[in-house]
Amino acid sequence: MPYFTTPTDDSRLHYIDHGPRNGPTTVFLSSNYLGSEMWERQTVPLAEAGHRCVGIDRRGHGRSDDVWDGFDLDTLAADVAALLDLLDLREVTLVGHSMGGVEAVRYLTRYGGRGRVARLALVASIAPGLAASATNPDGMTPAELRASSDWFRRDRLDFFESGADSFFASHLPGNEVSPAYVRHMVGRCAVSTLRAGLAMQDIGASVDLTPELPEIGLPALVLHGTHDTSAPIEFTGRRSAELLPDAALRVYENGGHGMFATHAARLTADLRSFADGVLPA
């Protein structure tokens, strides 16, 4: 399995690298609790179609090291930078889901892409932020965010399993996911450490990228579902599309937070078009 060691603190992080080395390159950043395996319905078809697909398991997630430190947004962005530098990737389409979208934005505003990233795709991202603020009056209250964190700390397996229906919006037509798949994803979430999960929740409860998104001059594609309860579209996806200088918004009807599974074929096709330099219809 491919691993690399971070220059900041010698943490050992796992990554995937699928497909031909000379194809269009897409780098995938994952949601809280999940590793690069969450993208298998995108990475395998894209690699089979001639695209190079790279994904990183965030520290404390997937097959990466169980570490205590480094769970701050700047260090997480540095981890992404280290992998792109290691593989010397160029003209990348950087894709982030949920918290992965926040990491992608911070990478771009901190490192300016270093000439490596050509375009940005935010998939069900929590950017610019979930918390209520002067710029996001309809966001989640401190009490709501604290209740979620308390539940996670008390029984994170119940947190994962009980939230599966709303995560996939599986009660809506066309969004059915098998019980076996749900069990698999809950199990993969459980691989992430309690320390990592709590730290990610802390970031999600406080992050506000409102000042950062306008700094990103790259072409951007915002893909978001109408029924995303983890990152409601009105104060995440729509706001990101408004704040990014060169962004297109594509709304997925009935899409929940887990649309990488429920809307896999459409998402894969949209990302393929975008990586080829064409905005999806």
Side-chain angles (χ1 to χ4, degrees):
M1 294 182 187
Y3 289 87
F4 73 101
T5 301
T6 65
T8 52
D9 60 2
D10 294 327
S11 295
R12 187 168 171 262
L13 305 186
H14 175 262
Y15 68 96
I16 62 168
D17 190 353
H18 298 334
R21 298 298 179 265
N22 60 350
T25 302
T26 302
V27 175
F28 293 87
L29 307 182
S30 302
S31 175
N32 280 358
Y33 323 124
L34 291 167
S36 51
E37 72 281 344
M38 68 164 279
W39 294 107
E40 64 185 13
R41 298 188 184 189
Q42 285 72 52
T43 56
V44 172
L46 286 171
E48 290 173 340
H51 287 233
R52 183 178 185 180
C53 296
V54 174
I56 183 174
D57 288 3
R58 182 186 297 111
R59 54 181 62 218
H61 290 65
R63 287 166 281 188
S64 290
D65 275 359
D66 176 4
V67 298
W68 184 256
D69 293 319
F71 294 105
D72 61 274
L73 200 47
D74 283 347
T75 301
L76 296 172
D79 292 345
V80 175
L83 178 59
L84 269 61
D85 289 349
L86 172 72
L87 299 180
D88 193 24
L89 300 179
R90 307 282 176 176
E91 293 296 308
V92 162
T93 300
L94 186 59
V95 180
H97 178 272
S98 194
M99 180 61 72
V102 171
E103 292 167 328
V105 170
R106 179 56 59 86
Y107 167 79
L108 289 171
T109 55
R110 186 176 184 194
Y111 296 96
R114 290 184 173 176
R116 300 193 179 281
V117 178
R119 58 193 68 83
L120 169 69
L122 299 179
V123 180
S125 174
I126 68 168
L130 297 175
S133 66
T135 58
N136 185 27
D138 297 322
M140 298 178 68
T141 66
E144 290 172 320
L145 293 164
R146 188 165 52 251
S148 175
S149 183
D150 289 346
W151 182 14
F152 183 85
R153 182 183 289 272
R154 182 174 62 252
D155 190 341
R156 63 195 181 105
L157 288 178
D158 183 60
F159 176 91
F160 296 141
E161 191 169 286
S162 297
D165 179 72
S166 61
F167 184 87
F168 293 111
S170 52
H171 57 288
L172 296 175
N175 286 4
E176 295 82 5
V177 287
S178 71
Y181 183 78
V182 172
R183 287 194 300 271
H184 167 68
M185 295 305 286
V186 169
R188 293 310 302 166
C189 287
V191 169
S192 64
T193 67
L194 177 61
R195 161 63 176 164
L198 288 169
M200 292 299 97
Q201 289 208 353
D202 286 346
I203 293 175
S206 60
V207 70
D208 183 2
L209 299 177
T210 304
E212 295 185 43
L213 287 166
E215 298 178 17
I216 297 174
L218 301 175
L221 179 63
V222 180
L223 305 166
H224 219 101
T226 57
H227 287 71
D228 190 331
T229 57
S230 299
I233 187 172
E234 295 304 325
F235 58 84
T236 56
R238 290 196 191 279
R239 289 180 64 224
S240 288
E242 292 169 359
L243 289 164
L244 287 160
D246 184 13
L249 173 65
R250 297 293 181 265
V251 177
Y252 284 43
E253 189 63 35
N254 288 346
H257 206 51
M259 64 187 200
F260 58 86
T262 58
H263 293 67
R266 178 182 171 185
L267 178 59
T268 301
D270 286 351
L271 291 176
R272 180 178 180 181
S273 293
F274 190 52
D276 286 336
V278 180
L279 276 177

